Amino acid sequence: MNIFMMILVAIFMVGFYMISSPSQRVIEQETEYAINKSDMRTIAECVSAKHNAQIMGTDFQDVCVNQNKIVSKFICLNASMRVTSCEILRNRRPEYSYIITAADAIPYDSYNDMLEILEEYFPDAGTFGIFLDGKIMLGGTSSARVIPDVIVKDMELQNGALVYFTQYEIPDEETVFSAPVQMDVVCPIGTVKTYRFGRWQCIGYNTKTDCGGDMIWDSELMMCVADETKKPLCAEQQTAVLVDSVWECVNPFPEKVCPSGMTARLNYSTLEWECVVDPNETVAAKKCDTINRGIIFGPVGTTARVPSTSCTDCERMITNPDTCASVCVPDPSKINDPACYPGDLDECSGPSRGVYFGFPNAAYVGNVSDVSGHLVPLDAAHSQNRKFNCLDCGDGEIDNEKSFPPYTAICK
């Protein structure tokens, strides 16, 4: 009988120890801590999402917003620290403008858990913390941010409320500029109406933007160039050659054997190799006895009067001694001539103005070696008057990398 009683007492003591042991209590406490911390993180993430949506001008709708009574507002204060309209009135904006998001008060024993969540997951949020006695306690720091009393009253903040506080700048309204009213300009055929230099002008329409064959318009070079996307895939030992603005596959290695003093050249009409005089072995002894003047520039198909002298007062003439052909190129030494630039050069300087020469077309540009390798614009913003002009970029700036004074001036 005594042995049976001892066994019962032993079983009872073992069960009591297992139920009330420290390990069991630790497990219950750890589980409760994790659940509370998860709830605090959910509230913090919901407040942050609502606040960010307010900043972006959108609306965040979630069940957590109603559950935690989260409210987000724009609040603006004047110099007297009174609530005012968040608008710019008579070119004056409020002294202070804030975006404030607040949740319902959390229990006092959850303060530490919430501060740990803010320190771990929102370290760069700034003023995101727990409201207590007119201040915001921040996670991970010993500092606190003071909230104006008028905002506390307007938001009806209570101790324990989770508050996200951000100051922002009210943006200026977009200014709309209208062009001055002017008389309607009727442009002749072949020109287009363009507003520049403060008035409407008739500018020649550029028809070279429509290139034929396998060519494409280059807006920087202002000319038609080969379209590499249309370049064909040729057979072995062949290469693609642009023949009459169309890609053709030809054999680059000639089979024709030429005598001494001659070299093989591809005839693009028949796509066959033929022997011609080697220009490297020919001595160019030809010199010009007479100068062929009268070269003029203008659109193909126009009727023009051949002048007695093809160059203007702002140009100089250069002659090819082999072809005896003469062309006109800009003369920078004439930039101070009133006939070439009637204005004051000092006024055409600074970050937004620059002097340029009015090149008439791409063929003219090709004869000017001084601008080789530089971009020469031939658009409506640049005059083609074969004189020196002033480019005014207005509120913009001159692109010093692309400009090449006094020949070209390009705005950024």
Short mmCIF file of all heavy atoms in Angstrom, two decimals, residues 260-304:
data_model
loop_
_atom_site.label_atom_id
_atom_site.label_comp_id
_atom_site.label_asym_id
_atom_site.label_seq_id
_atom_site.Cartn_x
_atom_site.Cartn_y
_atom_site.Cartn_z
N SER A 260 51.14 47.90 -116.98
CA SER A 260 51.84 48.86 -116.12
C SER A 260 51.29 50.28 -116.34
O SER A 260 51.00 50.67 -117.48
CB SER A 260 53.34 48.84 -116.44
OG SER A 260 54.02 49.80 -115.65
N GLY A 261 51.15 51.02 -115.26
CA GLY A 261 50.63 52.37 -115.34
C GLY A 261 49.12 52.44 -115.29
O GLY A 261 48.57 53.54 -115.35
N MET A 262 48.46 51.28 -115.19
CA MET A 262 47.01 51.26 -115.12
C MET A 262 46.58 50.43 -113.91
O MET A 262 47.36 49.62 -113.39
CB MET A 262 46.39 50.70 -116.40
CG MET A 262 46.81 51.44 -117.66
SD MET A 262 45.90 50.90 -119.13
CE MET A 262 44.31 51.64 -118.84
N THR A 263 45.35 50.62 -113.48
CA THR A 263 44.82 49.91 -112.32
C THR A 263 43.39 49.49 -112.59
O THR A 263 42.71 50.08 -113.45
CB THR A 263 44.87 50.79 -111.05
OG1 THR A 263 44.42 50.03 -109.94
CG2 THR A 263 43.99 52.02 -111.20
N ALA A 264 42.94 48.45 -111.88
CA ALA A 264 41.58 47.95 -112.06
C ALA A 264 40.60 48.80 -111.26
O ALA A 264 40.86 49.15 -110.11
CB ALA A 264 41.50 46.49 -111.62
N ARG A 265 39.44 49.11 -111.88
CA ARG A 265 38.40 49.90 -111.24
C ARG A 265 37.04 49.31 -111.57
O ARG A 265 36.81 48.87 -112.69
CB ARG A 265 38.46 51.36 -111.70
CG ARG A 265 37.48 52.27 -110.95
CD ARG A 265 37.47 53.67 -111.55
NE ARG A 265 36.97 53.66 -112.93
CZ ARG A 265 36.86 54.76 -113.70
NH1 ARG A 265 37.28 55.93 -113.22
NH2 ARG A 265 36.38 54.67 -114.92
N LEU A 266 36.16 49.28 -110.57
CA LEU A 266 34.83 48.72 -110.77
C LEU A 266 33.94 49.73 -111.48
O LEU A 266 33.79 50.86 -111.04
CB LEU A 266 34.21 48.33 -109.42
CG LEU A 266 32.80 47.74 -109.48
CD1 LEU A 266 32.82 46.39 -110.20
CD2 LEU A 266 32.24 47.58 -108.07
N ASN A 267 33.37 49.29 -112.61
CA ASN A 267 32.41 50.12 -113.34
C ASN A 267 31.04 49.88 -112.71
O ASN A 267 30.46 48.80 -112.83
CB ASN A 267 32.39 49.72 -114.82
CG ASN A 267 31.56 50.70 -115.64
OD1 ASN A 267 30.58 51.25 -115.16
ND2 ASN A 267 31.95 50.88 -116.91
N TYR A 268 30.51 50.92 -112.01
CA TYR A 268 29.26 50.75 -111.29
C TYR A 268 28.06 50.62 -112.22
O TYR A 268 26.98 50.21 -111.79
CB TYR A 268 29.06 51.93 -110.32
CG TYR A 268 30.04 51.93 -109.19
CD1 TYR A 268 30.98 52.95 -109.05
CD2 TYR A 268 30.01 50.91 -108.24
CE1 TYR A 268 31.88 52.95 -107.99
CE2 TYR A 268 30.91 50.89 -107.19
CZ TYR A 268 31.85 51.91 -107.06
OH TYR A 268 32.73 51.90 -106.03
N SER A 269 28.22 50.97 -113.47
CA SER A 269 27.10 50.82 -114.41
C SER A 269 26.92 49.37 -114.83
O SER A 269 25.81 48.84 -114.89
CB SER A 269 27.32 51.71 -115.64
OG SER A 269 27.40 53.07 -115.26
N THR A 270 28.06 48.70 -115.12
CA THR A 270 28.01 47.31 -115.57
C THR A 270 28.42 46.33 -114.48
O THR A 270 28.30 45.12 -114.67
CB THR A 270 28.94 47.12 -116.78
OG1 THR A 270 30.30 47.44 -116.38
CG2 THR A 270 28.53 48.03 -117.92
N LEU A 271 28.93 46.85 -113.33
CA LEU A 271 29.43 46.02 -112.22
C LEU A 271 30.52 45.08 -112.72
O LEU A 271 30.63 43.93 -112.28
CB LEU A 271 28.30 45.24 -111.55
CG LEU A 271 27.24 46.09 -110.82
CD1 LEU A 271 26.20 45.19 -110.18
CD2 LEU A 271 27.89 46.99 -109.79
N GLU A 272 31.38 45.59 -113.63
CA GLU A 272 32.51 44.83 -114.13
C GLU A 272 33.78 45.63 -113.92
O GLU A 272 33.76 46.87 -113.87
CB GLU A 272 32.33 44.51 -115.62
CG GLU A 272 31.15 43.59 -115.92
CD GLU A 272 31.04 43.30 -117.41
OE1 GLU A 272 31.83 43.91 -118.20
OE2 GLU A 272 30.18 42.49 -117.80
N TRP A 273 34.89 44.92 -113.78
CA TRP A 273 36.18 45.58 -113.57
C TRP A 273 36.78 45.97 -114.91
O TRP A 273 36.71 45.22 -115.89
CB TRP A 273 37.14 44.65 -112.82
CG TRP A 273 36.69 44.36 -111.42
CD1 TRP A 273 35.95 43.30 -111.00
CD2 TRP A 273 36.93 45.18 -110.28
NE1 TRP A 273 35.71 43.38 -109.66
CE2 TRP A 273 36.31 44.52 -109.18
CE3 TRP A 273 37.61 46.37 -110.06
CZ2 TRP A 273 36.34 45.04 -107.89
CZ3 TRP A 273 37.65 46.88 -108.78
CH2 TRP A 273 37.03 46.24 -107.71
N GLU A 274 37.40 47.14 -114.96
CA GLU A 274 38.04 47.64 -116.17
C GLU A 274 39.33 48.33 -115.81
O GLU A 274 39.56 48.72 -114.66
CB GLU A 274 37.10 48.62 -116.89
CG GLU A 274 36.71 49.82 -116.06
CD GLU A 274 35.70 50.71 -116.76
OE1 GLU A 274 35.17 50.27 -117.79
OE2 GLU A 274 35.46 51.82 -116.25
N CYS A 275 40.23 48.44 -116.78
CA CYS A 275 41.54 49.04 -116.56
C CYS A 275 41.46 50.54 -116.87
O CYS A 275 40.99 50.94 -117.94
CB CYS A 275 42.60 48.39 -117.44
SG CYS A 275 42.94 46.66 -117.00
N VAL A 276 41.96 51.34 -115.94
CA VAL A 276 42.02 52.79 -116.11
C VAL A 276 43.41 53.26 -115.72
O VAL A 276 44.20 52.53 -115.10
CB VAL A 276 40.95 53.50 -115.24
CG1 VAL A 276 39.55 53.11 -115.69
CG2 VAL A 276 41.16 53.18 -113.78
N VAL A 277 43.73 54.51 -116.08
CA VAL A 277 45.04 55.08 -115.76
C VAL A 277 45.16 55.21 -114.25
O VAL A 277 44.25 55.69 -113.57
CB VAL A 277 45.22 56.44 -116.45
CG1 VAL A 277 46.57 57.05 -116.07
CG2 VAL A 277 45.11 56.27 -117.97
N ASP A 278 46.30 54.75 -113.72
CA ASP A 278 46.54 54.82 -112.27
C ASP A 278 46.80 56.28 -111.88
O ASP A 278 47.79 56.88 -112.32
CB ASP A 278 47.74 53.95 -111.90
CG ASP A 278 47.88 53.80 -110.39
OD1 ASP A 278 47.14 54.49 -109.66
OD2 ASP A 278 48.74 53.02 -109.95
N PRO A 279 45.92 56.89 -111.08
CA PRO A 279 46.12 58.30 -110.72
C PRO A 279 47.35 58.52 -109.85
O PRO A 279 47.88 59.62 -109.80
CB PRO A 279 44.83 58.66 -109.98
CG PRO A 279 44.32 57.37 -109.45
CD PRO A 279 44.71 56.33 -110.47
N ASN A 280 47.82 57.47 -109.18
CA ASN A 280 49.01 57.62 -108.33
C ASN A 280 50.29 57.76 -109.13
O ASN A 280 51.30 58.25 -108.62
CB ASN A 280 49.14 56.41 -107.38
CG ASN A 280 47.98 56.32 -106.43
OD1 ASN A 280 47.45 57.33 -105.98
ND2 ASN A 280 47.57 55.09 -106.11
N GLU A 281 50.28 57.31 -110.41
CA GLU A 281 51.46 57.42 -111.25
C GLU A 281 51.36 58.56 -112.24
O GLU A 281 52.23 58.73 -113.09
CB GLU A 281 51.67 56.10 -112.00
CG GLU A 281 51.91 54.92 -111.08
CD GLU A 281 52.21 53.66 -111.85
OE1 GLU A 281 52.34 53.76 -113.10
OE2 GLU A 281 52.30 52.59 -111.23
N THR A 282 50.30 59.35 -112.18
CA THR A 282 50.12 60.47 -113.10
C THR A 282 50.54 61.75 -112.41
O THR A 282 50.11 62.04 -111.28
CB THR A 282 48.66 60.58 -113.54
OG1 THR A 282 48.27 59.33 -114.14
CG2 THR A 282 48.48 61.72 -114.53
N VAL A 283 51.39 62.51 -113.04
CA VAL A 283 51.86 63.78 -112.49
C VAL A 283 50.86 64.88 -112.85
O VAL A 283 50.58 65.11 -114.02
CB VAL A 283 53.26 64.14 -113.03
CG1 VAL A 283 53.72 65.48 -112.46
CG2 VAL A 283 54.24 63.03 -112.71
N ALA A 284 50.29 65.50 -111.81
CA ALA A 284 49.33 66.58 -112.05
C ALA A 284 50.08 67.88 -112.29
O ALA A 284 50.51 68.56 -111.36
CB ALA A 284 48.40 66.71 -110.84
N ALA A 285 50.26 68.18 -113.57
CA ALA A 285 51.01 69.39 -113.93
C ALA A 285 50.11 70.50 -114.44
O ALA A 285 50.59 71.55 -114.84
CB ALA A 285 52.05 69.05 -114.99
N LYS A 286 48.80 70.25 -114.39
CA LYS A 286 47.87 71.23 -114.93
C LYS A 286 47.73 72.41 -113.98
O LYS A 286 47.56 72.25 -112.79
CB LYS A 286 46.50 70.58 -115.17
CG LYS A 286 45.46 71.53 -115.75
CD LYS A 286 44.15 70.83 -115.94
CE LYS A 286 43.10 71.78 -116.48
NZ LYS A 286 41.79 71.13 -116.64
N LYS A 287 47.83 73.59 -114.50
CA LYS A 287 47.62 74.82 -113.73
C LYS A 287 46.57 75.65 -114.44
O LYS A 287 46.40 75.56 -115.66
CB LYS A 287 48.92 75.61 -113.60
CG LYS A 287 50.03 74.86 -112.88
CD LYS A 287 49.66 74.56 -111.42
CE LYS A 287 50.75 73.78 -110.71
NZ LYS A 287 50.38 73.45 -109.32
N CYS A 288 45.88 76.47 -113.67
CA CYS A 288 44.79 77.25 -114.23
C CYS A 288 45.33 78.51 -114.88
O CYS A 288 46.06 79.28 -114.26
CB CYS A 288 43.78 77.61 -113.15
SG CYS A 288 42.65 76.27 -112.81
N ASP A 289 44.92 78.72 -116.12
CA ASP A 289 45.23 79.97 -116.80
C ASP A 289 44.08 80.96 -116.61
O ASP A 289 44.29 82.17 -116.52
CB ASP A 289 45.46 79.73 -118.30
CG ASP A 289 46.68 78.84 -118.53
OD1 ASP A 289 47.61 78.90 -117.69
OD2 ASP A 289 46.66 78.07 -119.50
N THR A 290 42.87 80.44 -116.59
CA THR A 290 41.70 81.31 -116.39
C THR A 290 40.88 80.74 -115.26
O THR A 290 40.88 79.53 -115.01
CB THR A 290 40.84 81.38 -117.67
OG1 THR A 290 40.42 80.06 -118.01
CG2 THR A 290 41.64 81.99 -118.81
N ILE A 291 40.16 81.63 -114.58
CA ILE A 291 39.32 81.23 -113.45
C ILE A 291 37.88 81.15 -113.91
O ILE A 291 37.36 82.08 -114.53
CB ILE A 291 39.46 82.22 -112.28
CG1 ILE A 291 40.91 82.22 -111.78
CG2 ILE A 291 38.49 81.88 -111.16
CD1 ILE A 291 41.17 83.23 -110.68
N ASN A 292 37.25 80.01 -113.64
CA ASN A 292 35.85 79.81 -114.00
C ASN A 292 34.96 80.33 -112.88
O ASN A 292 34.77 79.66 -111.86
CB ASN A 292 35.58 78.32 -114.24
CG ASN A 292 34.15 78.06 -114.64
OD1 ASN A 292 33.44 78.99 -115.04
ND2 ASN A 292 33.72 76.81 -114.53
N ARG A 293 34.46 81.55 -113.02
CA ARG A 293 33.60 82.15 -112.00
C ARG A 293 32.13 81.93 -112.35
O ARG A 293 31.80 81.35 -113.36
CB ARG A 293 33.89 83.64 -111.86
CG ARG A 293 35.33 83.94 -111.45
CD ARG A 293 35.49 85.40 -111.11
NE ARG A 293 36.85 85.72 -110.71
CZ ARG A 293 37.23 86.90 -110.25
NH1 ARG A 293 36.35 87.87 -110.15
NH2 ARG A 293 38.48 87.11 -109.89
N GLY A 294 31.32 82.43 -111.51
CA GLY A 294 29.89 82.40 -111.78
C GLY A 294 29.18 81.23 -111.16
O GLY A 294 28.04 80.94 -111.53
N ILE A 295 29.82 80.51 -110.19
CA ILE A 295 29.14 79.40 -109.52
C ILE A 295 28.14 79.97 -108.53
O ILE A 295 28.50 80.79 -107.69
CB ILE A 295 30.16 78.49 -108.82
CG1 ILE A 295 31.09 77.84 -109.85
CG2 ILE A 295 29.48 77.42 -108.00
CD1 ILE A 295 32.14 76.96 -109.24
N ILE A 296 26.92 79.55 -108.63
CA ILE A 296 25.88 80.06 -107.73
C ILE A 296 25.25 78.89 -107.00
O ILE A 296 25.43 77.72 -107.38
CB ILE A 296 24.80 80.86 -108.50
CG1 ILE A 296 24.14 79.96 -109.55
CG2 ILE A 296 25.38 82.10 -109.12
CD1 ILE A 296 22.99 80.62 -110.24
N PHE A 297 24.53 79.22 -105.94
CA PHE A 297 23.90 78.17 -105.12
C PHE A 297 22.41 78.47 -105.00
O PHE A 297 22.01 79.61 -104.81
CB PHE A 297 24.54 78.14 -103.73
CG PHE A 297 25.99 77.77 -103.76
CD1 PHE A 297 26.98 78.75 -103.81
CD2 PHE A 297 26.37 76.43 -103.75
CE1 PHE A 297 28.32 78.41 -103.83
CE2 PHE A 297 27.71 76.09 -103.78
CZ PHE A 297 28.69 77.07 -103.82
N GLY A 298 21.62 77.43 -105.11
CA GLY A 298 20.16 77.59 -104.98
C GLY A 298 19.47 76.26 -105.20
O GLY A 298 20.07 75.30 -105.67
N PRO A 299 18.20 76.14 -104.85
CA PRO A 299 17.46 74.87 -105.04
C PRO A 299 17.37 74.50 -106.51
O PRO A 299 17.31 75.36 -107.40
CB PRO A 299 16.07 75.17 -104.46
CG PRO A 299 16.29 76.37 -103.57
CD PRO A 299 17.40 77.16 -104.20
N VAL A 300 17.41 73.19 -106.77
CA VAL A 300 17.33 72.70 -108.14
C VAL A 300 15.96 73.04 -108.72
O VAL A 300 14.93 72.84 -108.07
CB VAL A 300 17.57 71.17 -108.16
CG1 VAL A 300 17.41 70.63 -109.58
CG2 VAL A 300 18.95 70.85 -107.63
N GLY A 301 15.95 73.55 -109.96
CA GLY A 301 14.70 73.87 -110.62
C GLY A 301 14.30 75.33 -110.51
O GLY A 301 13.32 75.74 -111.12
N THR A 302 15.06 76.12 -109.74
CA THR A 302 14.71 77.53 -109.61
C THR A 302 15.35 78.33 -110.73
O THR A 302 16.35 77.94 -111.32
CB THR A 302 15.18 78.07 -108.25
OG1 THR A 302 16.60 77.91 -108.15
CG2 THR A 302 14.52 77.35 -107.11
N THR A 303 14.77 79.46 -111.04
CA THR A 303 15.32 80.39 -112.04
C THR A 303 16.12 81.46 -111.32
O THR A 303 15.61 82.15 -110.46
CB THR A 303 14.18 81.05 -112.85
OG1 THR A 303 13.41 80.02 -113.47
CG2 THR A 303 14.76 81.97 -113.90
N ALA A 304 17.41 81.57 -111.64
CA ALA A 304 18.29 82.51 -110.94
C ALA A 304 19.07 83.32 -111.97
O ALA A 304 19.38 82.85 -113.07
CB ALA A 304 19.24 81.79 -110.00
#
